[in-house]
Amino acid sequence: MLGTAAIEVEDAKIDVRPTDIRRFPQAGEAYDTVEIATDRGTTVCRYYEAQGARNGVVMVGGTGGGFDTPARGLYPRLAEDLPNHRISALRVQYRHPTDLVESAFDTVLGLRYLESRGVAAAGVVGHSLGGAVAIQAAANVPAVRVVVAIATQAAGTDPVAAFAGRAAILLVHGDRDPVLSHRSSEGVYRRAGEPRRLVVYEGAGHTLDEAAGSLYVEVKAWLLKHLPGTLV
């Protein structure tokens, strides 16, 4: 049974109350499809399980919808690799990908699902809108120990100031992002406490395709460093 959490985003409060959970193994795939039903609709996830894992990572995209991923397949690459380090991974598909509140709701559902599978410490990785979503979800789920915000927007990131000493945050942006200026990530970095890290890639755009290889190494290293007891 999943727990209950509340999200506060711009004075909106959302109660996370799952009514049904269904899991479907996908033949020949590395993941199972997980459907989490609530009175707000059904959130669909892809679950990459590491047997007996006590750590997990949730990955969310931006406003593109679907199982959105930046940096030339960063999320599927991470999701298939992290179980080798005894970390379960979950990719979340938003029900309403342009809505910060509803997307944060979906992400908290994903974190609660990992908790129901035995995960005690979690990370959240988000791109664009998903950077703010990751910060909102982390602020409302004490089990989150690591946040990675990639090319994040500024709106909705205020809770980052409360992370100091509890959740380590990595901020990544391209200096040629035509959608969201890298100054958004710089502003979040200034408001964040330690542990924190800011990486700005020269010549990279919004999806950071130009820095995909380096970004993969950076994100994976940050997760392994700050999730407790991981296998490096």
Side-chain angles (χ1 to χ4, degrees), residues 17-118:
R17 300 180 186 277
T19 57
D20 189 29
I21 303 169
R22 291 167 292 182
R23 180 175 169 186
F24 307 97
Q26 304 298 300
E29 300 285 353
Y31 61 84
D32 295 347
T33 296
V34 175
E35 297 180 353
I36 307 172
T38 73
D39 60 4
R40 306 178 76 91
T42 298
T43 300
V44 181
C45 309
R46 291 179 177 175
Y47 177 47
Y48 303 71
E49 184 173 32
Q51 290 291 332
R54 299 289 289 164
N55 294 309
V57 173
V58 172
M59 288 170 270
V60 294
T63 59
F67 288 98
D68 194 15
T69 176
R72 302 188 186 278
L74 173 66
Y75 290 172
R77 286 184 66 194
L78 282 172
E80 293 184 13
D81 187 15
L82 289 175
N84 296 324
H85 301 271
R86 207 172 293 166
I87 302 171
S88 291
L90 190 78
R91 297 176 63 197
V92 174
Q93 178 178 271
Y94 302 138
R95 290 166 300 112
H96 304 288
T98 60
D99 189 312
L100 176 61
V101 173
E102 294 298 325
S103 298
F105 176 90
D106 294 327
T107 306
V108 170
L109 276 178
L111 288 164
R112 293 302 183 205
Y113 180 74
L114 288 181
E115 287 182 352
S116 77
R117 302 297 303 173

Side-chain angles (χ1 to χ4, degrees), residues 104-152:
F105 176 90
D106 294 327
T107 306
V108 170
L109 276 178
L111 288 164
R112 293 302 183 205
Y113 180 74
L114 288 181
E115 287 182 352
S116 77
R117 302 297 303 173
V119 166
V124 190
V125 184
H127 173 242
S128 194
L129 169 84
V133 168
I135 288 169
Q136 289 288 338
N140 285 272
V141 179
V144 174
R145 295 289 181 267
V146 191
V147 176
V148 178
I150 302 167
T152 188

Side-chain angles (χ1 to χ4, degrees), residues 38 72 94 114 128 160-163 173 183 185-186 198 211 219:
T38 73
R72 302 188 186 278
Y94 302 138
L114 288 181
S128 194
V160 75
F163 288 1
H173 222 114
R183 301 196 185 282
S185 288
E186 291 169 352
L198 171 66
V219 172

Side-chain angles (χ1 to χ4, degrees), residues 70-74 77 201 207-218:
R72 302 188 186 278
L74 173 66
R77 286 184 66 194
Y201 285 105
T207 60
L208 289 104
D209 289 348
E210 303 86 346
S214 178
L215 178 62
Y216 176 81
V217 172
E218 189 79 45

